[in-house]
Every structure is written in C-alpha cells, then in structure tokens.
Amino acid sequence: MKIYVTQIYIQAGVGFPFTHRFQQFISRELTNRVQLSERFIEQYGEDFDLTFNMVAKSEIADTEIKGPTVFRRDKNVEYTIFLPFDDQTQDSDLLHSIVVKLLAGIVRVLDDLKFDTTRLSGDSLSLADHVVNDPVMTK
C-alpha cells in the first residue's frame, strides 16, 4: 500500500503555495512511516492505496474530513481534508501550522482505520519543519 497526498483547490484565490515536490515528499514519508492495518485489508484489500486530497477552504475555522470515496477499479481509497485558509498563509509559521493540521487530519483517518500512527505522530513536527525550511516545497 502506498499513501498519496494531492492538492485540489476549488475556490478562486484560495490555495496554499506548496509544490509537487511537497506532495512527493509527504507521500513518501507517510508511506514509509505507516504499515498496513488488518482493518484496512479486511475492508479494502492489501493492494489498495490511500489518497488524501488536501483542499484549502476559506469559510472554515477547523479541519474538516470527508470520505472515504472508494474506487474499486483503481484500487484506491480517498479522503479529502479541508484546511482553513486565510490571506496570511504565505507566512512560514502559518505554513508550518497548515502542515501540522494536514498531518493531524491524516492521523485521525489512519487511527479510525486502525493503523499504528505512533511513528507518524511523533515525527509530525519535524516533517512540518522540513517542509517550511526546504525552498523546493513551496512556491
């Protein structure tokens, strides 16, 4: 199983300045830190992947999670994580906060699916630090 993070921006002018390198990095780090759970295998099978669609939304104050949407033909389970957006999101402290909120939302979903999230939870702050300090992660 692989875990993917994508970015989908549905509101004009509402989005985060993360690059495709950010998506690749976070996807790889999630996949490396999370082992397949028995519950996930029972529900979907061991050959299914898990995708988290990251969406910026201006009219929310807290993270919202929708899903799952199951694509049996593609062998993919998708969740959408809506993250609060404001015009100050270019600030590195706020970007750090967005990455932490994204990872917390992912951990919440993984916990519901009975994945062991101990390693990911412990590494969330350092992953967020890496993202905001690496210039290829943001535009």
Side-chain angles (χ1 to χ4, degrees):
M1 176 198 72
K2 292 192 180 198
I3 300 175
Y4 298 98
V5 173
T6 66
Q7 299 178 86
I8 302 172
Y9 298 118
I10 56 177
Q11 294 177 310
V14 177
F16 302 120
F18 298 113
T19 65
H20 72 282
R21 299 269 178 106
F22 159 78
Q23 292 174 199
Q24 293 169 340
F25 170 77
I26 288 293
S27 298
R28 182 179 59 249
E29 295 302 317
L30 290 169
T31 299
N32 290 340
R33 284 173 170 74
V34 177
Q35 300 299 315
L36 195 56
S37 77
E38 288 299 319
R39 181 169 183 196
F40 188 85
I41 293 170
E42 288 170 9
Q43 280 188 278
Y44 307 110
E46 60 186 65
D47 55 346
F48 272 65
D49 291 326
L50 188 55
T51 299
F52 293 97
N53 300 310
M54 174 180 169
V55 179
K57 193 171 179 184
S58 61
E59 45 303 318
I60 61 173
D62 292 318
T63 303
E64 296 176 359
I65 300 172
K66 304 289 183 194
T69 303
V70 180
F71 299 94
R72 296 229 175 257
R73 197 173 94 212
D74 296 331
K75 298 188 181 239
N76 192 36
V77 179
E78 288 189 8
Y79 286 84
T80 301
I81 300 179
F82 295 91
L83 298 166
F85 174 84
D86 68 43
D87 293 335
Q88 305 301 315
T89 307
Q90 302 293 333
D91 177 83
S92 66
D93 288 339
L94 288 172
L95 289 178
H96 189 275
S97 173
I98 292 300
V99 175
V100 169
K101 287 178 183 179
L102 171 67
L103 293 172
I106 291 170
V107 165
R108 199 161 72 199
V109 169
L110 294 173
D111 283 342
D112 286 346
L113 293 169
K114 303 299 182 207
F115 284 85
D116 180 358
T117 58
T118 308
R119 186 169 172 215
L120 176 58
S121 294
D123 292 347
S124 290
L125 290 177
S126 64
L127 289 170
D129 288 343
H130 180 85
V131 169
V132 298
N133 290 314
D134 186 341
V136 303
M137 301 286 173
T138 57
K139 298 174 193 170

